[in-house]
Amino acid sequence: MSSSRPAGPRLPTLEDVARSAGVSRATVSRVVNGTRNVDPEIRKTVLAAVAATGYVPNRAARSLVTRRTDTVALVFSVPDRHAEQDPFLGQVFSDPFFGRIVGGLLTVFRPRGVHPVLMLADSAASRTALLVELQQQRIDGVVLVSVAPEDPLLRLLTETEVPAVLFARPTVPVPINYVDVAHHAGARMATELLLARGCRRLATISGPLDAPAGQDRLAGFREAMAENGHAFAPSVEGSFTQDGGERAMARLLAEYPQTDGVFVANDLMAQGALLTLRDQGRRVPEDVAVVGFDDSSAARAARPQLTTVRQPVEDMAAEMARLLLERIERPDQRVTSVIFKPELVRRQSA
């Protein structure tokens, strides 16, 4: 009496794909493994056959051929923690900005069978663990989102020549691919809008000034003000958080009570600024007009809804994914930067 179990449904094979596409098994293998010397029309036919048959590549077998794992690390690099209960991480992962990055990455990675693994770099030990994973070829490359000033991970990655791409211009001059938005131009847009609507006593809540984005947005605000005859405009440094925006707005109103327009360097801080203005009886935009930056979900959730500068985060993240895959495929290509244009989004706060 046989004890063998009935066989389950047979999975599609390379041979099935080859028959469907009308090509050889070797050609299908080259397409599936990402070999470049395949005619584009043949590649298109094979990929259509893969979709039609439902073929799923054997990742273990494929990695033996390509020496890749189809796994990339999505690394959030944050300042080293100095206290066991540090609220910073909660602020990072509750920010809608980071969810938008993940969504944009998946639009490119998922169709190509690439799997991102979330890793946190917040100490020397965690950075070392990441480098070990890379050196042992368990990860093909790194998408890095760094909010750590003078981040040591940037140099570690470039020195080990790991395929990597960074969200935003690096804080130190290193040869790494990166994607960013024209912060300076976006800040000018926001400032010029406030001036055009008649605001004359403008101020700004900047981002952290140890970050390029914070520096560039403040510089764009000041330049637009100077070009329009305003030699001085108050600024208060914020933390890119809602609480930071509340505190900064309270300080501005205490020191400069006649303020009638504020450019806030991100939407979360602007949302906090709106709460402070409401608590102090200031109408928005009648008494104080407010413009943010990012066009995140915080801008739409704010009351009144926030006029803001759109940073196309999802598109930027998708470009990061494409740059990383190209770098993995061709490690010898030069590093590249891609800068996206900002766009002004008019709502009710200005």
Side-chain angles (χ1 to χ4, degrees):
M1 180 177 176
S2 173
S3 60
S4 63
R5 292 180 296 177
R10 188 178 72 85
L11 295 176
T13 64
L14 282 177
E15 287 79 6
D16 294 327
V17 177
R19 279 193 296 271
S20 177
V23 299
S24 69
R25 182 187 188 280
T27 297
V28 173
S29 179
R30 287 199 299 274
V31 172
V32 169
N33 289 322
T35 304
R36 296 179 62 200
N37 60 340
V38 178
D39 181 90
E41 287 302 316
I42 294 176
R43 182 185 298 275
K44 183 177 178 181
T45 300
V46 171
L47 291 177
V50 168
T53 59
Y55 173 73
V56 178
N58 183 317
R59 293 182 67 210
R62 181 180 174 186
S63 66
L64 292 174
V65 176
T66 64
R67 300 182 66 83
R68 297 179 199 155
T69 63
D70 289 333
T71 300
V72 299
L74 171 54
V75 180
F76 288 95
S77 186
V78 302
D80 290 9
R81 284 177 289 180
H82 301 291
E84 190 169 342
Q85 300 295 328
D86 190 341
F88 183 83
L89 295 183
Q91 294 170 357
V92 168
F93 292 114
S94 64
D95 190 332
F97 177 83
F98 295 100
R100 295 173 66 193
I101 291 177
V102 174
L105 292 171
L106 290 177
T107 63
V108 174
F109 285 149
R110 184 179 289 163
R112 302 189 190 190
V114 176
H115 304 272
V117 176
L118 178 64
M119 301 183 74
L120 182 67
D122 64 342
S123 65
S126 61
R127 290 188 285 271
T128 299
L130 170 63
L131 292 175
V132 169
E133 292 283 326
L134 292 163
Q135 290 164 354
Q136 295 181 353
Q137 297 185 324
R138 291 198 284 262
I139 295 172
D140 296 331
V142 173
V143 174
L144 178 60
V145 181
S146 175
V147 293
E150 303 296 320
D151 191 346
L153 188 55
L154 291 172
R155 291 198 184 278
L156 291 171
L157 290 174
T158 54
E159 286 170 1
T160 53
E161 298 184 343
V162 170
V165 62
L166 173 67
F167 192 98
R169 190 175 85 241
T171 55
V172 292
V174 291
I176 189 170
N177 288 318
Y178 72 87
V179 172
D180 208 346
V181 71
H183 303 281
H184 189 278
R188 287 184 59 98
M189 287 180 184
T191 308
E192 288 164 359
L193 170 65
L194 289 167
L195 290 169
R197 65 168 283 121
C199 298
R200 290 296 175 266
R201 292 176 292 276
L202 267 67
T204 184
I205 299 174
S206 78
L209 296 180
D210 56 8
Q215 298 165 10
D216 289 352
R217 294 176 194 182
L218 177 58
F221 168 79
R222 286 178 170 166
E223 183 177 283
M225 291 294 288
E227 288 181 1
N228 284 274
H230 297 266
F232 170 76
S235 66
V236 174
E237 184 176 359
S239 58
F240 279 154
T241 66
Q242 181 175 312
D243 288 345
E246 290 186 58
R247 291 192 298 271
M249 191 71 245
R251 179 179 162 189
L252 275 178
L253 292 178
E255 296 181 7
Y256 303 95
Q258 300 304 312
T259 297
D260 62 0
V262 185
F263 165 54
V264 189
N266 85 333
D267 291 344
L268 275 180
M269 289 196 300
Q271 193 174 38
L274 291 175
L275 293 175
T276 295
L277 289 166
R278 183 189 66 190
D279 290 346
Q280 297 203 17
R282 305 292 184 99
R283 298 170 301 162
V284 177
E286 292 86 354
D287 299 328
V288 182
V290 178
V291 179
F293 201 115
D294 286 338
D295 193 28
S296 68
S297 58
R300 294 180 291 278
R303 293 295 178 268
Q305 289 194 333
L306 193 63
T307 293
T308 186
V309 176
R310 182 171 188 270
Q311 180 174 199
V313 174
E314 293 84 357
D315 295 340
M316 294 164 68
E319 184 63 24
M320 289 173 71
R322 285 188 284 270
L323 285 176
L324 181 62
L325 295 179
E326 289 174 6
R327 188 75 172 176
I328 292 169
E329 178 73 21
R330 293 176 290 179
D332 58 342
Q333 69 177 358
R334 68 177 180 85
V335 295
T336 302
S337 59
V338 179
I339 308 299
F340 284 74
K341 292 182 179 179
E343 176 186 353
L344 193 63
V345 179
R346 297 288 299 268
R347 295 196 179 93
Q348 298 149 2
S349 68

mmCIF file of all heavy atoms in Angstrom, residues 156-192:
data_model
loop_
_atom_site.group_PDB
_atom_site.id
_atom_site.type_symbol
_atom_site.label_atom_id
_atom_site.label_comp_id
_atom_site.label_asym_id
_atom_site.label_seq_id
_atom_site.Cartn_x
_atom_site.Cartn_y
_atom_site.Cartn_z
ATOM 1 N N LEU A 156 30.866 54.909 5.345
ATOM 2 C CA LEU A 156 31.040 53.463 5.439
ATOM 3 C C LEU A 156 30.533 52.769 4.172
ATOM 4 O O LEU A 156 31.178 51.850 3.655
ATOM 5 C CB LEU A 156 30.306 52.921 6.672
ATOM 6 C CG LEU A 156 30.885 53.312 8.033
ATOM 7 C CD1 LEU A 156 29.944 52.885 9.152
ATOM 8 C CD2 LEU A 156 32.269 52.710 8.227
ATOM 9 N N LEU A 157 29.391 53.209 3.666
ATOM 10 C CA LEU A 157 28.834 52.595 2.461
ATOM 11 C C LEU A 157 29.683 52.892 1.243
ATOM 12 O O LEU A 157 29.932 52.011 0.409
ATOM 13 C CB LEU A 157 27.399 53.085 2.236
ATOM 14 C CG LEU A 157 26.341 52.587 3.217
ATOM 15 C CD1 LEU A 157 25.002 53.268 2.949
ATOM 16 C CD2 LEU A 157 26.177 51.074 3.132
ATOM 17 N N THR A 158 30.138 54.136 1.108
ATOM 18 C CA THR A 158 30.921 54.484 -0.081
ATOM 19 C C THR A 158 32.308 53.850 -0.037
ATOM 20 O O THR A 158 32.848 53.463 -1.077
ATOM 21 C CB THR A 158 31.038 56.010 -0.235
ATOM 22 O OG1 THR A 158 31.562 56.580 0.978
ATOM 23 C CG2 THR A 158 29.682 56.626 -0.505
ATOM 24 N N GLU A 159 32.890 53.714 1.138
ATOM 25 C CA GLU A 159 34.209 53.090 1.243
ATOM 26 C C GLU A 159 34.168 51.607 0.891
ATOM 27 O O GLU A 159 35.136 51.059 0.366
ATOM 28 C CB GLU A 159 34.769 53.291 2.657
ATOM 29 C CG GLU A 159 35.236 54.724 2.925
ATOM 30 C CD GLU A 159 35.550 54.976 4.382
ATOM 31 O OE1 GLU A 159 35.428 54.018 5.192
ATOM 32 O OE2 GLU A 159 35.923 56.116 4.727
ATOM 33 N N THR A 160 33.039 50.959 1.189
ATOM 34 C CA THR A 160 32.912 49.532 0.859
ATOM 35 C C THR A 160 32.341 49.311 -0.538
ATOM 36 O O THR A 160 32.166 48.176 -0.965
ATOM 37 C CB THR A 160 32.009 48.819 1.889
ATOM 38 O OG1 THR A 160 30.759 49.514 1.990
ATOM 39 C CG2 THR A 160 32.674 48.793 3.255
ATOM 40 N N GLU A 161 32.056 50.414 -1.255
ATOM 41 C CA GLU A 161 31.573 50.373 -2.639
ATOM 42 C C GLU A 161 30.296 49.544 -2.784
ATOM 43 O O GLU A 161 30.094 48.833 -3.768
ATOM 44 C CB GLU A 161 32.670 49.841 -3.567
ATOM 45 C CG GLU A 161 33.907 50.733 -3.577
ATOM 46 C CD GLU A 161 34.962 50.260 -4.565
ATOM 47 O OE1 GLU A 161 34.883 49.095 -5.003
ATOM 48 O OE2 GLU A 161 35.852 51.057 -4.889
ATOM 49 N N VAL A 162 29.418 49.662 -1.821
ATOM 50 C CA VAL A 162 28.128 48.981 -1.856
ATOM 51 C C VAL A 162 27.170 49.776 -2.746
ATOM 52 O O VAL A 162 27.129 51.006 -2.660
ATOM 53 C CB VAL A 162 27.551 48.879 -0.432
ATOM 54 C CG1 VAL A 162 26.111 48.409 -0.449
ATOM 55 C CG2 VAL A 162 28.412 47.963 0.419
ATOM 56 N N PRO A 163 26.396 49.129 -3.625
ATOM 57 C CA PRO A 163 25.366 49.860 -4.364
ATOM 58 C C PRO A 163 24.401 50.527 -3.384
ATOM 59 O O PRO A 163 23.821 49.852 -2.526
ATOM 60 C CB PRO A 163 24.672 48.767 -5.179
ATOM 61 C CG PRO A 163 25.683 47.683 -5.301
ATOM 62 C CD PRO A 163 26.448 47.699 -4.013
ATOM 63 N N ALA A 164 24.260 51.831 -3.494
ATOM 64 C CA ALA A 164 23.423 52.553 -2.541
ATOM 65 C C ALA A 164 22.858 53.799 -3.184
ATOM 66 O O ALA A 164 23.431 54.355 -4.120
ATOM 67 C CB ALA A 164 24.232 52.929 -1.289
ATOM 68 N N VAL A 165 21.726 54.237 -2.659
ATOM 69 C CA VAL A 165 21.105 55.481 -3.100
ATOM 70 C C VAL A 165 20.515 56.154 -1.873
ATOM 71 O O VAL A 165 19.997 55.487 -0.964
ATOM 72 C CB VAL A 165 20.036 55.237 -4.188
ATOM 73 C CG1 VAL A 165 18.909 54.370 -3.672
ATOM 74 C CG2 VAL A 165 19.495 56.555 -4.730
ATOM 75 N N LEU A 166 20.606 57.479 -1.838
ATOM 76 C CA LEU A 166 20.227 58.256 -0.668
ATOM 77 C C LEU A 166 19.060 59.164 -0.994
ATOM 78 O O LEU A 166 19.003 59.754 -2.081
ATOM 79 C CB LEU A 166 21.432 59.096 -0.218
ATOM 80 C CG LEU A 166 21.229 60.119 0.906
ATOM 81 C CD1 LEU A 166 20.936 59.413 2.224
ATOM 82 C CD2 LEU A 166 22.483 60.993 1.041
ATOM 83 N N PHE A 167 18.122 59.278 -0.049
ATOM 84 C CA PHE A 167 17.057 60.269 -0.175
ATOM 85 C C PHE A 167 17.590 61.586 0.373
ATOM 86 O O PHE A 167 17.900 61.692 1.547
ATOM 87 C CB PHE A 167 15.805 59.841 0.603
ATOM 88 C CG PHE A 167 14.591 60.678 0.281
ATOM 89 C CD1 PHE A 167 13.652 60.229 -0.624
ATOM 90 C CD2 PHE A 167 14.410 61.923 0.863
ATOM 91 C CE1 PHE A 167 12.539 61.002 -0.944
ATOM 92 C CE2 PHE A 167 13.309 62.711 0.557
ATOM 93 C CZ PHE A 167 12.371 62.241 -0.360
ATOM 94 N N ALA A 168 17.694 62.595 -0.493
ATOM 95 C CA ALA A 168 18.158 63.950 -0.159
ATOM 96 C C ALA A 168 19.667 64.056 -0.258
ATOM 97 O O ALA A 168 20.399 63.073 -0.113
ATOM 98 C CB ALA A 168 17.689 64.392 1.218
ATOM 99 N N ARG A 169 20.103 65.271 -0.511
ATOM 100 C CA ARG A 169 21.523 65.536 -0.673
ATOM 101 C C ARG A 169 22.280 65.124 0.580
ATOM 102 O O ARG A 169 21.845 65.401 1.702
ATOM 103 C CB ARG A 169 21.734 67.032 -0.936
ATOM 104 C CG ARG A 169 23.138 67.393 -1.356
ATOM 105 C CD ARG A 169 23.260 68.857 -1.732
ATOM 106 N NE ARG A 169 23.491 69.716 -0.588
ATOM 107 C CZ ARG A 169 22.693 70.679 -0.196
ATOM 108 N NH1 ARG A 169 21.560 70.916 -0.834
ATOM 109 N NH2 ARG A 169 22.988 71.432 0.839
ATOM 110 N N PRO A 170 23.448 64.480 0.426
ATOM 111 C CA PRO A 170 24.187 64.039 1.616
ATOM 112 C C PRO A 170 24.687 65.213 2.450
ATOM 113 O O PRO A 170 24.987 66.293 1.924
ATOM 114 C CB PRO A 170 25.356 63.228 1.038
ATOM 115 C CG PRO A 170 25.477 63.672 -0.387
ATOM 116 C CD PRO A 170 24.106 64.065 -0.828
ATOM 117 N N THR A 171 24.788 64.989 3.748
ATOM 118 C CA THR A 171 25.268 66.037 4.651
ATOM 119 C C THR A 171 26.780 66.196 4.580
ATOM 120 O O THR A 171 27.321 67.205 5.038
ATOM 121 C CB THR A 171 24.871 65.718 6.098
ATOM 122 O OG1 THR A 171 25.367 64.412 6.433
ATOM 123 C CG2 THR A 171 23.366 65.734 6.269
ATOM 124 N N VAL A 172 27.461 65.200 4.020
ATOM 125 C CA VAL A 172 28.914 65.270 3.829
ATOM 126 C C VAL A 172 29.197 64.942 2.366
ATOM 127 O O VAL A 172 28.438 64.202 1.731
ATOM 128 C CB VAL A 172 29.650 64.283 4.755
ATOM 129 C CG1 VAL A 172 29.511 64.708 6.199
ATOM 130 C CG2 VAL A 172 29.143 62.858 4.575
ATOM 131 N N PRO A 173 30.271 65.491 1.783
ATOM 132 C CA PRO A 173 30.557 65.239 0.365
ATOM 133 C C PRO A 173 31.105 63.837 0.130
ATOM 134 O O PRO A 173 32.287 63.571 0.369
ATOM 135 C CB PRO A 173 31.600 66.314 0.031
ATOM 136 C CG PRO A 173 32.261 66.625 1.341
ATOM 137 C CD PRO A 173 31.226 66.438 2.389
ATOM 138 N N VAL A 174 30.255 62.939 -0.316
ATOM 139 C CA VAL A 174 30.645 61.557 -0.602
ATOM 140 C C VAL A 174 30.056 61.146 -1.952
ATOM 141 O O VAL A 174 29.011 61.654 -2.362
ATOM 142 C CB VAL A 174 30.150 60.578 0.489
ATOM 143 C CG1 VAL A 174 30.885 60.802 1.788
ATOM 144 C CG2 VAL A 174 28.645 60.708 0.703
ATOM 145 N N PRO A 175 30.711 60.221 -2.674
ATOM 146 C CA PRO A 175 30.201 59.778 -3.980
ATOM 147 C C PRO A 175 29.086 58.751 -3.825
ATOM 148 O O PRO A 175 29.324 57.542 -3.767
ATOM 149 C CB PRO A 175 31.444 59.162 -4.638
ATOM 150 C CG PRO A 175 32.287 58.683 -3.494
ATOM 151 C CD PRO A 175 32.041 59.638 -2.368
ATOM 152 N N ILE A 176 27.867 59.217 -3.744
ATOM 153 C CA ILE A 176 26.711 58.329 -3.585
ATOM 154 C C ILE A 176 25.563 58.861 -4.445
ATOM 155 O O ILE A 176 25.376 60.084 -4.553
ATOM 156 C CB ILE A 176 26.288 58.218 -2.097
ATOM 157 C CG1 ILE A 176 25.237 57.136 -1.903
ATOM 158 C CG2 ILE A 176 25.805 59.556 -1.558
ATOM 159 C CD1 ILE A 176 24.959 56.811 -0.434
ATOM 160 N N ASN A 177 24.805 57.976 -5.068
ATOM 161 C CA ASN A 177 23.610 58.389 -5.810
ATOM 162 C C ASN A 177 22.614 59.026 -4.841
ATOM 163 O O ASN A 177 22.436 58.526 -3.718
ATOM 164 C CB ASN A 177 22.933 57.176 -6.459
ATOM 165 C CG ASN A 177 23.721 56.626 -7.630
ATOM 166 O OD1 ASN A 177 24.235 57.367 -8.442
ATOM 167 N ND2 ASN A 177 23.815 55.312 -7.712
ATOM 168 N N TYR A 178 21.961 60.078 -5.287
ATOM 169 C CA TYR A 178 20.900 60.620 -4.430
ATOM 170 C C TYR A 178 19.815 61.279 -5.266
ATOM 171 O O TYR A 178 20.029 61.662 -6.423
ATOM 172 C CB TYR A 178 21.452 61.591 -3.383
ATOM 173 C CG TYR A 178 21.921 62.933 -3.877
ATOM 174 C CD1 TYR A 178 21.043 64.008 -4.006
ATOM 175 C CD2 TYR A 178 23.263 63.151 -4.177
ATOM 176 C CE1 TYR A 178 21.474 65.253 -4.429
ATOM 177 C CE2 TYR A 178 23.707 64.395 -4.608
ATOM 178 C CZ TYR A 178 22.812 65.438 -4.728
ATOM 179 O OH TYR A 178 23.229 66.680 -5.143
ATOM 180 N N VAL A 179 18.641 61.379 -4.641
ATOM 181 C CA VAL A 179 17.474 62.025 -5.231
ATOM 182 C C VAL A 179 17.016 63.107 -4.265
ATOM 183 O O VAL A 179 16.999 62.897 -3.047
ATOM 184 C CB VAL A 179 16.346 60.997 -5.469
ATOM 185 C CG1 VAL A 179 15.063 61.688 -5.900
ATOM 186 C CG2 VAL A 179 16.773 59.970 -6.515
ATOM 187 N N ASP A 180 16.657 64.269 -4.796
ATOM 188 C CA ASP A 180 16.243 65.357 -3.920
ATOM 189 C C ASP A 180 15.250 66.248 -4.656
ATOM 190 O O ASP A 180 14.981 66.055 -5.849
ATOM 191 C CB ASP A 180 17.469 66.168 -3.484
ATOM 192 C CG ASP A 180 17.272 66.842 -2.130
ATOM 193 O OD1 ASP A 180 16.123 66.911 -1.640
ATOM 194 O OD2 ASP A 180 18.277 67.305 -1.546
ATOM 195 N N VAL A 181 14.719 67.232 -3.941
ATOM 196 C CA VAL A 181 13.859 68.240 -4.537
ATOM 197 C C VAL A 181 14.582 69.579 -4.458
ATOM 198 O O VAL A 181 15.497 69.747 -3.631
ATOM 199 C CB VAL A 181 12.501 68.304 -3.799
ATOM 200 C CG1 VAL A 181 12.652 68.915 -2.407
ATOM 201 C CG2 VAL A 181 11.452 69.063 -4.604
ATOM 202 N N ALA A 182 14.213 70.520 -5.291
ATOM 203 C CA ALA A 182 14.834 71.852 -5.284
ATOM 204 C C ALA A 182 14.243 72.659 -4.125
ATOM 205 O O ALA A 182 13.316 73.452 -4.295
ATOM 206 C CB ALA A 182 14.606 72.555 -6.616
ATOM 207 N N HIS A 183 14.773 72.435 -2.923
ATOM 208 C CA HIS A 183 14.254 73.068 -1.703
ATOM 209 C C HIS A 183 14.286 74.587 -1.798
ATOM 210 O O HIS A 183 13.339 75.271 -1.404
ATOM 211 C CB HIS A 183 15.089 72.629 -0.495
ATOM 212 C CG HIS A 183 15.148 71.165 -0.277
ATOM 213 N ND1 HIS A 183 14.126 70.467 0.314
ATOM 214 C CD2 HIS A 183 16.109 70.254 -0.577
ATOM 215 C CE1 HIS A 183 14.455 69.183 0.378
ATOM 216 N NE2 HIS A 183 15.650 69.033 -0.165
ATOM 217 N N HIS A 184 15.377 75.102 -2.289
ATOM 218 C CA HIS A 184 15.566 76.555 -2.390
ATOM 219 C C HIS A 184 14.462 77.178 -3.231
ATOM 220 O O HIS A 184 13.825 78.164 -2.840
ATOM 221 C CB HIS A 184 16.952 76.806 -2.991
ATOM 222 C CG HIS A 184 17.401 78.218 -2.962
ATOM 223 N ND1 HIS A 184 17.007 79.150 -3.901
ATOM 224 C CD2 HIS A 184 18.234 78.874 -2.108
ATOM 225 C CE1 HIS A 184 17.566 80.311 -3.621
ATOM 226 N NE2 HIS A 184 18.328 80.183 -2.551
ATOM 227 N N ALA A 185 14.203 76.582 -4.396
ATOM 228 C CA ALA A 185 13.165 77.107 -5.288
ATOM 229 C C ALA A 185 11.787 76.997 -4.646
ATOM 230 O O ALA A 185 10.950 77.902 -4.784
ATOM 231 C CB ALA A 185 13.186 76.353 -6.614
ATOM 232 N N GLY A 186 11.525 75.903 -3.939
ATOM 233 C CA GLY A 186 10.229 75.738 -3.281
ATOM 234 C C GLY A 186 9.999 76.781 -2.210
ATOM 235 O O GLY A 186 8.889 77.322 -2.070
ATOM 236 N N ALA A 187 11.032 77.082 -1.437
ATOM 237 C CA ALA A 187 10.902 78.104 -0.395
ATOM 238 C C ALA A 187 10.635 79.479 -1.011
ATOM 239 O O ALA A 187 9.862 80.282 -0.474
ATOM 240 C CB ALA A 187 12.163 78.138 0.454
ATOM 241 N N ARG A 188 11.276 79.762 -2.129
ATOM 242 C CA ARG A 188 11.021 81.030 -2.824
ATOM 243 C C ARG A 188 9.558 81.111 -3.269
ATOM 244 O O ARG A 188 8.914 82.161 -3.137
ATOM 245 C CB ARG A 188 11.952 81.160 -4.027
ATOM 246 C CG ARG A 188 13.402 81.454 -3.684
ATOM 247 C CD ARG A 188 14.204 81.655 -4.964
ATOM 248 N NE ARG A 188 13.651 82.761 -5.739
ATOM 249 C CZ ARG A 188 14.118 84.002 -5.731
ATOM 250 N NH1 ARG A 188 15.175 84.304 -4.998
ATOM 251 N NH2 ARG A 188 13.558 84.947 -6.463
ATOM 252 N N MET A 189 9.025 80.007 -3.819
ATOM 253 C CA MET A 189 7.614 79.989 -4.230
ATOM 254 C C MET A 189 6.702 80.352 -3.073
ATOM 255 O O MET A 189 5.774 81.167 -3.203
ATOM 256 C CB MET A 189 7.228 78.593 -4.731
ATOM 257 C CG MET A 189 7.767 78.193 -6.066
ATOM 258 S SD MET A 189 7.182 76.507 -6.441
ATOM 259 C CE MET A 189 8.041 76.218 -7.983
ATOM 260 N N ALA A 190 6.938 79.715 -1.930
ATOM 261 C CA ALA A 190 6.095 79.948 -0.763
ATOM 262 C C ALA A 190 6.176 81.403 -0.306
ATOM 263 O O ALA A 190 5.156 82.047 -0.015
ATOM 264 C CB ALA A 190 6.525 79.012 0.369
ATOM 265 N N THR A 191 7.387 81.934 -0.254
ATOM 266 C CA THR A 191 7.594 83.302 0.215
ATOM 267 C C THR A 191 6.959 84.326 -0.728
ATOM 268 O O THR A 191 6.293 85.275 -0.296
ATOM 269 C CB THR A 191 9.097 83.572 0.351
ATOM 270 O OG1 THR A 191 9.692 82.539 1.140
ATOM 271 C CG2 THR A 191 9.350 84.918 1.005
ATOM 272 N N GLU A 192 7.149 84.099 -2.021
ATOM 273 C CA GLU A 192 6.582 85.027 -3.005
ATOM 274 C C GLU A 192 5.059 85.004 -2.986
ATOM 275 O O GLU A 192 4.405 86.037 -3.211
ATOM 276 C CB GLU A 192 7.136 84.690 -4.385
ATOM 277 C CG GLU A 192 8.608 85.089 -4.522
ATOM 278 C CD GLU A 192 9.306 84.447 -5.705
ATOM 279 O OE1 GLU A 192 8.644 83.669 -6.430
ATOM 280 O OE2 GLU A 192 10.509 84.716 -5.905
#
